[in-house]
């Protein structure tokens, strides 16, 4: 399939909550693509506030054909 017809489907998201952040402090998330296995993508995730790391984990995605994915979702309307 071509990139124009692809869509990314979230498979799993696993992030630990390691430290609190006070109300009003900015929090940001960084992710790095660490593995590509065919259509499977694996990311490492890090969540930080002004004082350091507040969480970390993994995020896995899968590239699927957009039209097939939408067709399968729309089939639920006909049941």
């Amino acid at each position: 399939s071509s990139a124009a017809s692809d869509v990314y489907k979230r498979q799993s998201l696993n992030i630990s909550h390691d430290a609190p952040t006070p109300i009003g402090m900015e929090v940001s998330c960084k992710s790095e693509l660490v593995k590509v296995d065919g259509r499977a993508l694996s990311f490492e995730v890090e969540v930080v506030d002004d004082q350091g790391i507040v969480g970390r984990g993994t995020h896995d995605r899968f590239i699927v054909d957009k039209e097939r994915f939408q067709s399968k979702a729309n089939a639920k309307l006909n049941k």
Side-chain angles (χ1 to χ4, degrees):
S1 68
S2 70
S5 66
D6 290 340
V7 65
Y8 300 96
K9 180 180 170 199
R10 180 174 58 85
Q11 292 295 96
S12 69
L13 179 63
N14 182 9
I15 300 176
S16 64
H17 184 227
D18 303 328
T21 299
I23 294 172
M25 185 177 282
E26 187 172 316
V27 176
S28 62
C29 179
K30 299 183 237 179
S31 63
E32 178 182 356
L33 178 61
V34 294
K35 183 178 177 184
V36 177
D37 183 10
R39 295 181 299 147
L41 309 175
S42 297
F43 298 84
E44 288 182 357
V45 178
E46 186 175 86
V47 183
V48 298
D49 65 17
D50 295 341
Q51 299 298 309
I53 297 171
V54 297
R56 60 180 77 198
T58 58
H59 178 55
D60 297 315
R61 296 185 81 96
F62 201 77
I63 302 170
V64 297
D65 180 87
K66 184 178 183 178
E67 288 180 18
R68 281 187 61 208
F69 180 80
Q70 191 61 55
S71 176
K72 188 174 178 181
N74 290 344
K76 289 182 172 183
L77 297 172
N78 298 325
K79 287 187 175 186

